[in-house]
Each structure stands twice: as structure tokens, then as C-alpha cells.
Amino acid sequence: MGIVVLTMKASVIEMFLVLLVTGIHSNKDTTKKIKRPKFNVPQINCDVKAGKIINPEFVVKCPAGCQDPKYHVYGTDIYASYSSVCGAAIHSGVLDNSGGKILVRKVAGQSGYKGSYSNGIQSLSLPRWRESFIVSEGKPQKDVTYPSALTYSSSKSPTAKTGEATKAYQKPSVPGTTAQSVTLVQVTGATASEASHTSLPKPSPSAVSTTSNLRSQPMGYRSWELDLWSTSSDASGQNSPRANAGFVPKEELSTQSLEPVSQGDPNCKIDLSFLIDGSSSIGKRRFRIQKQFLADVAQTLDIGPAGPLMGVVQYGDNPAAQFNLRTHMNSRDLKTAIEKITQRGGLSNAGRAISYVTKNFFSKANGNRGGAPNVAVVIVDGWPTDKVEEASRFARESGINIFFITIEGATENEKQYVTEPNFSNKAVCRTNGFYSLNVQSWFSLHKTVQPLVKRVCDTDRLACSKTCLNSADIGFVIDGSSSVGTGNFRTVLQFVANLSKEFEISDIDTRIGAVQYTYEQRLEFGFEDYNTKSDILNAIKRVGYWSGGTSTGAAINYALEQLFKKSKPNKRKLMILITDGRSYDDVRIPAMVAHHKGVITYAIGVAWAAQDELEVIATHPANDHSFFVDEFDHLYKFVPKVIQSICTEFNSQPRN
């Protein structure tokens, strides 16, 4: 009996131990089941914009190949949410074109976004946008939970009726995830525009609360979980079956209405004309390469009303404008227009084309803005069939900055056929190499995009924008002595006004000042007092006649001290002195001081003025800088002569 009891107790103990061990294993299994799953980094495509992702902070993986101009990026360092996430990552230097993981954090919208070129990507400028983001290396921070699946927004169709907002059905989230479905539209058997007229029915409350599969949708519509959908290809690199079936994100049907229109890069505000070679010798293949080059330049420049504007002239036997500066106001439209250009054929008359651009292209009617430098880029296959020197000189004197791109120039054996040897140096704005680009092969032309854009946007070096009419500080020194008389003094003032009318007057162009003198001197108005032509003409009209003696030497010293001392360093300093008699004081030393200080002096004598004194006052050579008028009433005849002398002196400066 005792033995039996012991046996039963042993059996109970053995059973207890078995249950205990089983429970421990069971608890371990349970622990394994509730263990937090490993974080999976969601992958996105190159074209995904930050604004389409609702999550405020997330880690994603970008594929290779996102360094492409078609993936637009807006801003620098801080990017508008309309930017490609992966494109912004490359632009910022966080990624290269091989892809990888990045950390994205949303921030507030900015009042402006500045475009820049960085790491092979040209970002665009944007006046303002509602939301921004910044990119950093894809290292998750401690104690921060990042979504394994991203929440995407679903936009309303642009053609939906008021009050019929399109919504995506959402599968309830599992703890630890934030997945949301993306609405897809199947457009099989119908165009995208037709499909966009039908909106999804609103989900019932039960559909939102259930944990079962998504409710079936009307024919032609389906919802997919984000991690099951790809816009372009599946994991194997092949086209996704859903893409082949015609599924596209519904928001992509209305991207055009959401596209922010860039105002252009304000750091490159130029009016640009491309003169492209359409001659028969270029051939169809090279003409296509030339068009692609134009499109690449248009994309890189960031065309817009606040930045660069661009037009195209094609030349063969004769030039013809393909479109002017105001025809296309953004890079996208410009690239489309470039693609439609057809080759004209004929000779390669670049000189005739330059003349056409000078006389016709840069006009207000064609979109010329006046305050923006005029730039003409001439592309030549080999060499022109006509001469360019005279046409180019006229263009330069008109303020046009001429660049030449010569492709596959003449070899030593071919130089005998060149119409005008060294034609490029005879044409460009300056002969210092800045305005000339020589390309060895058409297949290397694409390498010239960035160097050219950098040069044409360097407005401080566009020397030909400075003409004889827009680049000077002009000080009139007017004799108000008793011998002049009231009537003749008004005639002198009219002469001063007529000269002033010929110049482009503003605070950044030509500025005008005036001094009147007798024995004494008086500053009538300085260079900084008026900056419009109408204000200058009114100021001249208000000058009152003084009357007195004639101390011309003292007047020159006074003008140097009170007027030209405040001249801008980058301005040409012109003094135009008008007198009717011999000075009571010595003019030699004051004139020498003026010349030493770089003031170009024009001396205009009327009636009893001393010719020898005029020649001393005038800048060398005196014959080009001094004028004698026998009567006050004949002063008006000398307006064009003085202007011609000023421009001749300006254009005689070396072009190197």
C-alpha cells in the first residue's frame, strides 16, 4: 500500500514537471510571436514627390538613376514639396546616382526657393510653396518610430463636380504600421480624360471599420496597398502587370493643374537668342544633336519671366525666327517648341543672321525687357559661308553680347575654303576666350551646356551690354556768364536736353549731373538726384540763368570735386563743358587733373570762345573732343556729332 502511494506521488511530480516545461516553451513561443518585427525601409520611385507623402518624417530607399532632368527639383537645401524626393537627395549631396536610403523631414513652406546647379542636377526656382522638406542620411534616430509603409495622399480629379471629392478606401492599420491605400484608375478601353469624369463612391462607415479585405469597387477601379504597387516596374525590373493593364495613380491625371510654374532664375536675368545652323551641310543627324543641345540649355537655364528668356533664329541662305523671347515663358514649353523645329537647308550665312538679330530680334515687341543684357549665341558647323565682322561690330555697338560655338572647325587643309579667316575673333564681344567655345565633334557638344550657361549667366562679365549710351556718368559744366544772355542760355539748356535724350538714363545706366559757373560755381543737380529721363529733362528746364564772369578753370575743379567724386567706379566719366568766351583764370592745370583722374572731357565753344583754350580743355586727340559753333542757334546741329564722337571713343577701346 505504501509502495503504491509513493508511485502515485512520483507520477504526479513527473506530470507537473512536464507541464512546467511545456509552459515555459509555450511562453517562449508567445514571446516570439509578439516580438516587434524588423523595420523594413519602404522603396520609392524617382518621380515620387514629397508632397504626395503624408508622413511628416520617414526613411525611404531611392533606386538608381534618379539623376535625370525629368525629375524636377525646386530649391536648394530646403526643397519645395513638389520636388522629387530622390532628385532632391542627389542635389543636396546625400545620395549619388546609385541610390540608397535617406531620411526625409517635412518643414514649413518658404516664401521663395532658389534654384542652383549641384551634383549633376539643376534645381529650379519657385516664388513660394505651401510645404517644404529637408533630406539627410538615412540613419534612423533612436527612440523614433518610422513607418514601414508610407501614407500617400489621393488628390481630387480636376473635373469632379463640386462636393464630390474622390477618396481612397483605407484598410485599417495594424499596430506599428501606418499603411494607407492608393487609389488607382484603370483606363482600359477609355482615355484618361474620360476616366477622370467618374469619381469613386464614398465609403460606408462599415467599410472603414472592418478588418476584412477591401470592399470591391465599381468596374474599372481598384484600391491597392502601397507595398503591392509600383508605378513602373516590379522587383525583377520588368513592367508591372498592373501598369500593363492600364492602372495609373489617379492624382497623376491632374498633375498639370498642380504643376508650379517657375518664375525663372533671378540670378540669370538675360534676354537670349540662339542662332542655329540649319544649312544643308549639317545633315539631319547633327541638326537633331543641335536641337537636343538647345533643349538641354533651356532646361538648365530655368526659363521664366523673372529670369532668362530665350528665343531661336535658324539660318541657312536667309535667317528666320522660330520663336521670340515672349513666345515661351518656361523651360518645359520651350523644349517642346525646340523639338518641332525643322531644318531649313541652304548655305551657312551666319553674318546675315547676326544682322537680322541686331535689327529685328531684340525689340520690345519681341519681348526684349530693356534692363536685361542681350546675348546672342551663334552655333556654326565648320565655318560661315559669308562674312561676320561688320555685322558683329554693329551688334556689339548695339549692346549685344555675341558668343560663338564653332563645331568641327576647319582643318589646315580646309582653311583655304574659309570665307573669312579668324571669323570667330572678329565676331565675339571680346577676344579673351570667354565668348568663344570650340567643340571638336558634334558628339561632344553636350559637354558645352554647363560652361555656356555659366558664362551667359555671369552678367558682370557681359561687357557688350555696356554701350556708349548706357554706361557713363555725364557732367555738364555750363557757362552762365553775362555775355551769354538769358535767351542764349535757354538755347544752351535745350542743347543739354537734346544730348541727354540720346542716352539710356537710370540709376544703373547713364546718369546726368550739371554745374553752372560764372566767377562762382553752383551744383544744379548731382548724379544721384534723378534717375529717369523725364526727371532729368524737367531738372534741366528748371535751371535758372545766373550771370557773372567766366572762371572756367575753377569750374572744372569744382565739377571734379562736387560731381565726379561721387561717380561710380564702373562708369565712364564724361565732362561736357560749354562756354562762349575766354576764361579769366588758367585752365591748363585743372584740365590736366581731369585727364589724370580719367575724366573724358569734351569742350564746346560758342561765338567768342578761344579755340586754343578749347583744345587744352579737351581730352586728346583734341580734334575728336572739341567743337566750335559760330552761333548759339546752331548748337542743335552738333548734337549728332557729339554723340558720334562719344560712341566712337567708346567703341575704340580694345576688345580683349
Side-chain angles (χ1 to χ4, degrees), residues 417-434:
Y417 304 112
V418 177
T419 307
E420 190 176 28
N422 201 25
F423 64 87
S424 180
N425 276 345
K426 293 178 180 178
V428 294
C429 180
R430 292 288 185 272
T431 57
N432 55 9
F434 181 77

Side-chain angles (χ1 to χ4, degrees), residues 370-412:
N374 294 160
V375 180
V377 179
V378 186
I379 303 177
V380 178
D381 175 37
W383 57 89
T385 52
D386 64 347
K387 294 185 177 182
V388 301
E389 182 175 11
E390 185 61 25
S392 299
R393 183 188 62 79
F394 183 49
R396 293 193 303 271
E397 291 176 0
S398 301
I400 300 173
N401 296 273
I402 297 183
F403 288 77
F404 249 73
I405 301 178
T406 306
I407 307 161
E408 297 181 3
T411 64
E412 286 299 323

